[in-house]
Amino acid sequence: MALSKTDRTQPFDQEFEPDPVESRLPVNIYFIYRALFALILAILFLARTENSILGRHNPEFFSLVIFIFLGMITASGVILFTSTDRPVKNQIFMMVFVDIVAITLLMHASGGIETGIGMLMVVSIASGSLIIQGSPAILLAALASLAVLTEQIFFKLYESGTTDYTQSGFLGIGFFAIATLSHVFSKRLRQSQALASQREIDLANLEELNSYIIQHMQMGILVVDDEERIRMMNDAAWYLLGMPDARAGVALERASYELTEQLKSWQADRHLRRENFTNKAGGRLLSANMAGLGNAGVVIFIEDAATLTQQAQQMKLASLGRLTASIAHEIRNPLGAISHAEQLLRESPDLPKADQRLIDIINTNSKRVNEVIESILHLTRRDRSQPEEIELKPWLEKFADDFMRTQNLPDSQLTLQVEPDSTRIMSDKTQLRQILTNLCENAVRHFDREISELKLQIHGGIARDAGGAFLDIIDNGPGISAEAVRQMYEPFFTTLNSGTGLGLYITKELCETNRLTIDYLGVPTGGSRFRLTFPSGV
């Protein structure tokens, strides 16, 4: 099941910017409040009684203002809902400004500040301060205070009514207090909203990272709920279970009946040892480990049993290798003493011929044991590869000359060919020499006819299909049987009584160290061919 890609990740260090839809929501709510507030005032004015304070001082002026106010609210609504690209702060500022002017005029038409209508400005100032931050919010409070004082002065000069400057002053102070508190509350609210949004972004990134890690783990992970339905299955689990037609939400039994039985056994007895089971295709042996998630279900870890066995085998081989190296090191001293005693006996002038044959046997087997020890010690202290660029043809010519002289063979028995001549490779010279030496010595050692009939060929160059360099070591010997091919890279496997069985194993290890690929290719006319493939890019 593939990991779905979602565009939920955002940079962690970005500043929070409100969603345009969310930022217009308070403005829309404030508009609805204004419309209902003006409509209720108009209805109360039309249905006023003798004790009503609305329009008591000047009914005609009150009715004119309230209906103009309703018209301006309607116009602002049309602008608000049709021109979404206009700045929200400008629109809310104009709304509050119109409310201040309208409420001041309605208050004047009803008899002044003593009517209490001026308190309605508090809601407008608070709403504006919540949306508008900074100096514009304080400016609204100042405009409201100035409007109330101006109305009182006008009422005193032209209407000959009673005035209360103290009440006007307290109302103005209230306006500033509401504006300041609303501004602080709005700032705190925005900070909390930004922090919450940042946490949401962090959690989304963390969830995406966790999903990516789980999906790309080599271990299969499968989560089921209390009703044994699959909640999550990563790619590794889907592949290990035989690529079943099962996804999140379906029963676990549809993915694997054997795993379902394993789960039921685990739920019955969590300490019971569980046996391995095969996948849906019936071919791969799997191992399952389970852990409870409380009331959320069970997480199942699925692994390839063959891989686990191989890892355990590798650990055993590593331990055995260290033990073998230690034993080999301890054997060298007594072996040296045996060889030295054999040399002293050989120098004895009164040695019978029968004993001479026994000394030859001691010498031959001492050398064989020493070869085994040297091979084992070489494996344990092999140096790390130090690749360098090599011009293949001249380097091979020198190697061929040295090898044929060492084996006491004529140069005519080895053919060297490199195409093109300018072929270059990257490899450790010392380790590459040992690889070729092991392969060529094997060809000489396993040759089953007169050594004069041996023909060695070393072909190199650039492979047209792969684009990288290659080397073929070909001989005309008996070849390698199909059964032996499957085991020839295993340590201590040999078809000769006198062999150590470590030559090809060491060759394989050296190839992997130098990022080379070694393949055995049979020759149709008889013989063997080993191909070394070098990494491309030189």
Side-chain angles (χ1 to χ4, degrees):
M1 106 186 234
L3 177 64
S4 60
K5 303 297 182 182
T6 56
D7 188 19
R8 293 181 296 171
T9 58
Q10 300 183 30
F12 291 118
D13 57 350
Q14 66 180 9
E15 295 184 359
F16 169 72
E17 294 184 3
D19 186 358
V21 176
E22 294 181 356
S23 62
R24 297 187 71 87
L25 183 60
V27 183
N28 297 339
I29 295 175
Y30 179 57
F31 167 77
I32 295 173
Y33 157 76
R34 297 175 68 227
L36 292 176
F37 154 70
L39 186 61
I40 292 172
L41 282 181
I43 293 174
L44 292 177
F45 172 73
L46 294 176
R48 69 185 184 279
T49 60
E50 293 182 358
N51 296 326
S52 176
I53 62 173
L54 299 178
R56 182 179 57 186
H57 179 69
N58 192 342
E60 294 80 5
F61 183 67
F62 188 95
S63 62
L64 176 63
V65 172
I66 193 65
F67 286 114
I68 292 175
F69 188 34
L70 282 171
M72 296 187 69
I73 291 175
T74 303
S76 65
V78 173
I79 297 173
L80 178 66
F81 292 106
T82 57
S83 302
T84 56
D85 57 339
R86 290 178 178 269
V88 173
K89 291 185 178 180
N90 294 345
Q91 294 184 5
I92 196 68
F93 186 87
M94 291 304 301
M95 288 182 185
V96 176
F97 179 77
V98 170
D99 289 356
I100 292 173
V101 174
I103 293 173
T104 302
L105 296 177
L106 294 175
M107 180 180 65
H108 176 76
S110 299
I113 194 171
E114 63 183 10
T115 60
I117 295 178
M119 291 296 296
L120 296 174
M121 296 185 195
V122 172
V123 178
S124 299
I125 294 172
S127 300
S129 299
L130 286 174
I131 302 173
I132 305 174
Q133 292 184 344
S135 56
I138 305 300
L139 178 61
L140 291 175
L143 291 175
S145 302
L146 184 61
V148 170
L149 291 174
T150 302
E151 189 276 333
Q152 286 292 288
I153 294 173
F154 183 84
F155 203 90
K156 175 69 176 178
L157 294 177
Y158 298 98
E159 302 293 339
S160 300
T162 60
T163 57
D164 190 348
Y165 292 109
T166 303
Q167 186 176 355
S168 301
F170 278 116
L171 186 59
I173 294 173
F175 291 158
F176 279 100
I178 291 295
T180 303
L181 292 176
S182 299
H183 170 67
V184 173
F185 177 74
S186 175
K187 186 176 181 180
R188 294 286 179 86
L189 183 63
R190 286 177 177 269
Q191 290 175 347
S192 300
Q193 186 179 4
L195 181 61
S197 179
Q198 188 64 57
R199 293 291 182 268
E200 182 180 357
I201 293 172
D202 294 342
L203 289 175
N205 279 281
L206 184 60
E207 180 182 358
E208 194 76 15
L209 177 61
N210 290 339
S211 298
Y212 181 85
I213 293 174
I214 291 174
Q215 288 296 336
H216 289 78
M217 288 181 65
Q218 294 182 354
M219 177 185 292
I221 297 180
L222 195 148
V223 180
V224 297
D225 58 17
D226 294 335
E227 298 180 1
E228 297 179 0
R229 290 195 304 264
I230 299 174
R231 292 177 55 188
M232 189 277 294
M233 178 169 58
N234 69 350
D235 291 342
W238 178 74
Y239 179 74
L240 288 172
L241 291 176
M243 296 174 285
D245 184 17
R247 291 295 183 270
V250 304
L252 176 62
E253 187 175 1
R254 184 173 175 180
S256 174
Y257 174 79
E258 293 80 3
L259 184 58
T260 306
E261 293 300 317
Q262 291 257 339
L263 177 60
K264 291 179 180 178
S265 301
W266 178 81
Q267 291 173 337
D269 185 0
R270 299 194 175 189
H271 300 287
L272 181 67
R273 178 181 175 87
R274 290 175 299 281
E275 301 295 333
N276 296 333
F277 65 98
T278 57
N279 61 11
K280 193 170 184 179
R284 180 172 292 185
L285 196 63
L286 304 177
S287 172
N289 294 306
M290 301 163 190
L293 295 175
N295 296 327
V298 178
V299 57
I300 304 174
F301 302 95
I302 305 173
E303 295 182 272
D304 190 339
T307 303
L308 295 177
T309 303
Q310 184 180 9
Q311 291 174 352
Q313 184 69 16
Q314 289 176 349
M315 293 178 64
K316 290 180 181 179
L317 288 175
S319 300
L320 182 60
R322 289 192 292 269
L323 176 62
T324 306
S326 177
I327 295 174
H329 182 74
E330 294 299 326
I331 291 176
R332 296 189 75 179
N333 291 332
L335 181 62
I338 293 173
S339 299
H340 183 65
E342 176 267 329
Q343 292 176 3
L344 294 176
L345 284 174
R346 189 181 295 276
E347 295 174 359
S348 176
D350 301 327
L351 186 67
K353 291 185 178 181
D355 293 343
Q356 182 71 39
R357 173 59 183 161
L358 295 177
I359 291 177
D360 291 338
I361 294 174
I362 294 174
N363 181 48
T364 300
N365 286 277
S366 297
K367 289 181 178 179
R368 183 179 177 186
V369 173
N370 187 64
E371 288 178 3
V372 174
I373 293 174
E374 289 294 335
S375 298
I376 292 174
L377 294 177
H378 179 76
L379 285 174
T380 58
R381 61 170 180 257
R382 188 172 68 236
D383 296 331
R384 181 175 297 180
S385 172
Q386 297 179 352
E388 55 183 298
E389 189 175 10
I390 302 173
E391 189 175 356
L392 190 57
K393 187 173 182 179
W395 186 86
L396 285 176
E397 290 174 348
K398 187 176 186 308
F399 165 79
D401 184 60
D402 294 341
F403 178 78
M404 297 306 283
R405 277 205 309 251
T406 303
Q407 298 293 325
N408 294 320
L409 296 174
D411 294 341
S412 59
Q413 289 186 245
L414 189 148
T415 304
L416 177 62
Q417 181 180 359
V418 178
E419 294 181 359
D421 294 343
S422 59
T423 301
R424 293 177 177 271
I425 60 171
M426 287 292 294
S427 182
D428 186 299
K429 289 183 177 181
T430 302
Q431 295 180 359
L432 180 60
R433 176 180 291 275
Q434 185 174 357
I435 292 171
L436 295 181
T437 300
N438 289 348
L439 293 176
C440 292
E441 283 183 349
N442 271 355
V444 175
R445 189 179 298 115
H446 290 81
F447 193 67
D448 57 350
R449 301 188 299 276
E450 290 293 333
I451 195 65
S452 60
E453 299 180 21
L454 173 66
K455 298 294 182 183
L456 287 175
Q457 301 178 52
I458 300 179
H459 293 173
I462 302 297
R464 295 183 179 180
D465 52 351
F470 74 95
L471 267 180
D472 284 346
I473 293 86
I474 308 169
D475 65 67
N476 61 337
I480 303 176
S481 66
E483 182 179 355
V485 168
R486 290 192 294 268
Q487 306 177 59
M488 63 182 180
Y489 295 120
E490 296 181 4
F492 304 108
F493 173 78
T494 180
T495 57
L496 295 178
N497 293 331
S498 59
T500 64
L502 291 172
L504 287 179
Y505 174 72
I506 294 174
T507 301
K508 179 75 171 178
E509 292 291 313
L510 290 174
C511 287
E512 292 178 354
T513 302
N514 287 270
R515 297 173 55 213
L516 307 182
T517 303
I518 182 170
D519 298 297
Y520 175 76
L521 307 173
V523 179
T525 58
S528 301
R529 177 171 63 170
F530 286 90
R531 167 162 290 192
L532 303 177
T533 304
F534 296 83
S536 59
V538 180

